[in-house]
Amino acid sequence: MAAFRLLALDHVALRVSDLERARAFYCDVLGCSFEKWQENLGLLQLRAGAALIDLVGVDGPLGRAGGAAAGREGRNVDHFCLRIAPFDAAALGAHLAAHGVTAGEVVQRYGAEGTGPSLYLSDPDGNTVELKGPPTP
């Protein structure tokens, strides 16, 4: 018997070159909300449903410990996925385009709830974000 049971993803921490630009993207484009600012660490925490997306400024105390900033040639992670509802491909495409975000093709991909529609996009620091809809019956 295991000593614990894994429940869910709690948070993702991304090192970013411009905290305000990243905050605008995750809040204005993807709908996160402000959770907490930890000035002593240079850590901005945003609410993403039941999870958090932590933004670590590379020029802050915590960020400096991690080395160079992420970019197209050196990313923090391969990607992370945000489950969204509803998944209306046309409305989603229009919303992202209105914010100057180019999204990839909508493809059926397997995730935690099964196979369903998803698309990839990049945040301002080059991190890949997957937006995923409900499983397809």
Side-chain angles (χ1 to χ4, degrees):
M1 181 86 165
F4 64 90
R5 183 171 54 99
L6 183 62
L7 298 177
L9 180 67
D10 184 85
H11 69 275
V12 173
L14 299 174
R15 298 176 66 251
V16 300
S17 58
D18 182 328
L19 270 176
E20 179 50 33
R21 180 182 70 177
R23 186 221 51 83
F25 176 81
Y26 284 98
C27 291
D28 300 346
V29 178
L30 298 184
C32 291
S33 59
F34 173 83
E35 178 83 10
K36 186 175 184 179
W37 168 239
Q38 295 191 50
E39 186 173 4
N40 61 322
L41 297 174
L43 173 65
L44 177 60
Q45 296 180 288
L46 304 177
R47 175 66 47 193
L52 294 176
I53 296 175
D54 293 350
L55 302 176
V56 178
V58 295
D59 58 348
L62 187 58
R64 283 192 299 273
R72 297 237 180 266
E73 299 302 317
R75 299 184 297 179
N76 289 323
V77 295
D78 180 72
H79 77 278
F80 65 93
C81 180
L82 300 173
R83 171 65 162 81
I84 63 168
F87 192 98
D88 178 331
L92 186 55
H95 170 76
L96 294 171
H99 285 88
V101 176
T102 303
E105 165 183 20
V106 174
V107 177
Q108 294 289 313
R109 292 186 176 94
Y110 187 76
E113 298 177 340
T115 301
S118 80
L119 60 80
Y120 290 122
L121 52 94
S122 293
D123 77 5
D125 286 277
N127 294 301
T128 301
V129 181
E130 179 181 358
L131 300 181
K132 183 137 183 14
T136 304

